[in-house]
Amino acid sequence: MKENKKEDLKKHFKIKIPFSVVENKMEEDFLELSKNLKISGFRPGKVPLSFVKSKYEKDVKAKVTEKLIQEEGNKEFEKKGYRLAAQPNVKLISKIDEKVDVEVEYEFEVLPDINLKSFNDIELTKYVANVEEKDINKVIDNLFNQYKNYNKVKEKRKTKKGDRLIISYKGYINEKLFEGGAAEKQSIDLGNNNYFPEFEDNLIEKNLNDNIEFFMTFPTDYNRTDLKGKKAKFNIIIDDILEGVKLKNEDELASKTGSKNSKDLRDKIKNELENYSEDLSFTMLKKTIVAKFKDTYSFELPDILVAREEEMLKSQNTKNNKEDSFKSNIKEEAANKVKIGLIISEIGIKNKINVTEKEIETALARICMQYPGKEKEVIEHYKSNSNAMNSLKGPIFEDKVMKFVEGKAKITKKVINSEELLKKLSKDEGKNKKKGKNGK
């Protein structure tokens, strides 16, 4: 396979647009403007060209020049078959305010040529987990812990894990009540980790009507910028203590969870676990395919794509980490991500793999389920935001490409239990993290 050299990806050319072409296009725009302008003292469509030219010449020339530069550049890209890695850097050499030919220089990077190898030669092991009765029983036990009937405690006692408390609280920063920091008659299940650990720790071994005061510091990565890293004081009153009572049987549990009966509940759990196991299995397979791609292909990468990926990774990692090893690992990881992304994209293009409207609608429906009552705003956000839409399409496209590769490769299936599958996945993730830290 012919490898691209780094300098092969960097391109530049100059174009010259005769001033006569600019002038003709300007005349067309002046004529169109004179027909549509509404100016006091003139009838619609009767604004003199001389007036239009004197008032709008600068704006029209700038608009026409910009459009011609884009059009002529695109013609050159198409003529030479360039696949741009990013938007070109366009430099105007001539002066736009003079009646001279427009000279422009383009500097840009192109995508590398990737000669795809046969997928039939790829050998993969696919780990498949069978759902066993003990897996279903484990979920049933968890559901019994989640779905309890809660009654007021009959005898006076201190609070403990497993209790549901009804509390009222107020939170202060610098002795001022902060927004969203107060609630009345709020329920909290001790041991469920739905609140900050400081909340639960200070609510255990307490009595009804206790007035509790404690301080805590919000995490530095908290989702509210006005509270990040801030120290707050909380005053809490325990209004009621409720005791969880286990449901009588599986049929009652089924009713609580929206199932017809115990059998229906177990069938649903089995189906969910099978889907989950299939997802885990496919995740492991994708990691194996990616590793094989990294070892199989070698080509130069556009600097601009690696730099962008590097910046993205830096923003996701520790901002203040200035170690040389950290910077080196980030650069290597960015290059690997770009490399795999280009290979996946090439496979998709060569094999006409696309994301369908139905797949987008299905993905949007799943997201909407997380925001009940705000479905319209969610859909509008994705449809009006190209970056958001691309973030939705990307994983769908990647999975379709990976399934395509899976369908062509030589697959050996190995049946293991669900615990072994989880251990294997965790082990692989641990290896990847270790590689990231050591740069090996």
Side-chain angles (χ1 to χ4, degrees):
M1 183 182 80
K2 182 187 175 184
E3 292 186 12
N4 295 100
K5 295 178 182 176
K6 178 67 76 175
E7 56 267 24
D8 289 343
L9 302 183
K10 296 184 184 296
K11 305 288 182 184
H12 77 277
F13 61 77
K14 293 179 182 178
I15 62 169
K16 183 181 284 189
I17 305 169
F19 181 71
S20 58
V21 174
V22 178
E23 207 167 26
N24 289 338
K25 289 286 184 183
M26 286 175 67
E27 288 296 328
E28 290 174 14
D29 277 24
F30 286 140
L31 190 60
E32 192 66 27
L33 263 176
S34 68
K35 291 177 182 177
N36 298 311
L37 277 176
K38 292 180 181 178
I39 296 178
S40 179
F42 297 100
R43 284 183 295 161
K46 298 296 182 180
V47 180
L49 271 175
S50 57
F51 177 85
V52 175
K53 288 180 180 180
S54 65
K55 188 170 177 65
Y56 297 102
E57 183 178 13
K58 191 175 180 180
D59 292 339
V60 169
K61 190 174 185 181
K63 179 185 170 186
V64 165
T65 303
E66 184 180 348
K67 189 177 180 183
L68 283 170
I69 288 171
Q70 187 176 3
E71 287 174 351
E72 293 303 314
N74 288 341
K75 283 179 189 176
E76 192 71 15
F77 296 141
E78 194 173 336
K79 178 183 170 184
K80 296 192 175 179
Y82 290 141
R83 296 193 301 161
L84 301 189
Q87 286 296 316
N89 180 29
V90 182
K91 182 182 177 183
L92 187 64
I93 301 170
S94 58
K95 292 185 178 180
I96 198 170
D97 56 347
E98 294 179 358
K99 292 185 178 182
V100 294
D101 295 342
V102 176
E103 288 189 78
V104 185
E105 184 175 28
Y106 294 78
E107 288 184 351
F108 53 96
E109 286 185 280
V110 295
L111 297 175
D113 293 324
I114 303 172
N115 296 321
L116 296 176
K117 298 181 183 295
S118 172
F119 304 121
N120 298 324
D121 299 330
I122 298 177
E123 295 182 359
L124 299 169
T125 300
K126 185 173 184 179
Y127 294 95
V128 181
N130 287 336
V131 176
E132 300 172 351
E133 198 66 22
K134 65 177 184 179
D135 300 321
I136 299 172
N137 290 337
K138 192 174 180 180
V139 176
I140 291 286
D141 289 342
N142 287 336
L143 288 173
F144 267 120
N145 286 328
Q146 289 176 36
Y147 291 88
K148 293 178 180 178
N149 290 322
Y150 284 90
N151 304 319
K152 288 187 177 184
V153 290
K154 293 178 181 178
E155 297 178 3
K156 184 179 178 181
R157 66 165 175 80
K158 292 184 179 295
T159 59
K160 61 181 182 179
K161 281 191 177 180
D163 285 344
R164 173 172 290 174
L165 306 186
I166 308 301
I167 63 171
S168 298
Y169 64 85
K170 290 180 179 179
Y172 302 88
I173 293 177
N174 297 327
E175 300 302 321
K176 290 182 180 178
L177 188 68
F178 63 86
E179 185 181 350
E184 294 286 331
K185 310 293 182 183
Q186 186 85 27
S187 67
I188 173 172
D189 293 342
L190 297 182
N192 275 12
N193 300 318
N194 290 333
Y195 279 69
F196 289 109
E198 291 88 345
F199 258 77
E200 294 204 11
D201 292 345
N202 283 283
L203 290 172
I204 290 173
E205 289 291 308
K206 297 296 186 293
N207 295 304
L208 183 68
N209 297 323
D210 271 0
N211 195 329
I212 304 150
E213 181 178 294
F214 67 91
F215 290 87
M216 65 160 276
T217 302
F218 284 97
T220 53
D221 60 349
Y222 192 53
N223 57 13
R224 276 184 56 179
T225 53
D226 59 324
L227 298 180
K228 284 181 180 180
K230 295 285 181 69
K231 187 177 181 181
K233 180 181 78 174
F234 283 93
N235 292 120
I236 303 177
I237 296 174
I238 299 177
D239 299 309
D240 222 334
I241 304 172
L242 307 178
E243 197 170 39
V245 179
K246 189 175 179 179
L247 301 178
K248 294 176 185 176
N249 51 50
E250 282 188 23
D251 283 332
E252 190 178 358
L253 178 63
S255 177
K256 281 267 190 184
T257 57
S259 300
K260 296 174 186 175
N261 49 43
S262 173
K263 183 181 180 306
D264 183 40
L265 174 61
R266 284 182 169 268
D267 286 344
K268 286 179 178 177
I269 292 170
K270 185 178 181 182
N271 185 55
E272 285 292 321
L273 288 175
E274 284 174 344
N275 290 337
Y276 179 62
S277 293
E278 177 57 34
D279 287 344
L280 288 180
S281 176
F282 185 54
T283 298
M284 281 197 66
L285 194 70
K286 285 195 294 184
K287 288 177 181 293
T288 307
I289 293 171
V290 165
K292 285 189 178 289
F293 283 169
K294 279 168 66 177
D295 293 339
T296 304
Y297 292 94
S298 175
F299 49 86
E300 290 294 340
L301 305 172
D303 289 335
I304 191 166
L305 295 185
V306 176
R308 283 182 185 176
E309 189 65 42
E310 203 176 333
E311 286 305 312
M312 199 176 297
L313 289 171
K314 281 178 183 175
S315 67
Q316 292 168 2
N317 287 273
T318 310
K319 292 181 180 178
N320 297 322
N321 198 326
K322 296 179 181 178
E323 293 179 13
D324 290 338
S325 60
F326 173 80
K327 291 177 184 177
S328 174
N329 292 339
I330 286 285
K331 195 170 186 68
E332 184 183 346
E333 188 179 349
N336 283 332
K337 279 181 174 288
V338 171
K339 179 181 178 179
I340 296 304
L342 290 175
I343 295 169
I344 289 171
S345 176
E346 193 70 15
I347 295 170
I349 292 168
K350 293 279 174 68
N351 295 282
K352 297 181 174 143
I353 299 169
N354 296 300
V355 178
T356 65
E357 283 298 321
K358 188 175 180 181
E359 287 165 338
I360 292 171
E361 287 171 10
T362 302
L364 275 174
R366 287 200 190 106
I367 295 170
C368 286
M369 287 173 67
Q370 301 171 31
Y371 302 93
K374 295 185 177 180
E375 293 84 354
K376 189 177 178 181
E377 292 95 319
V378 170
I379 292 169
E380 184 61 32
H381 167 71
Y382 278 92
K383 292 197 171 178
S384 64
N385 187 322
S386 60
N387 287 335
M389 184 56 77
N390 287 336
S391 71
L392 189 71
K393 286 181 179 178
I396 302 172
F397 177 76
E398 182 180 309
D399 282 355
K400 289 185 78 171
V401 169
M402 291 297 185
K403 285 184 184 296
F404 172 81
V405 175
E406 179 188 358
K408 298 282 184 183
K410 295 173 185 175
I411 303 289
T412 302
K413 288 190 178 181
K414 189 172 181 182
V415 179
I416 57 178
N417 62 44
S418 56
E419 288 180 2
E420 288 175 316
L421 183 62
L422 275 170
K423 281 179 184 175
K424 273 195 165 295
L425 188 61
S426 299
K427 190 177 179 182
D428 282 352
E429 287 176 350
K431 281 181 184 176
N432 289 337
K433 284 180 182 177
K434 194 172 181 182
K435 281 181 186 179
K437 286 178 182 177
N438 300 331
K440 295 179 182 177

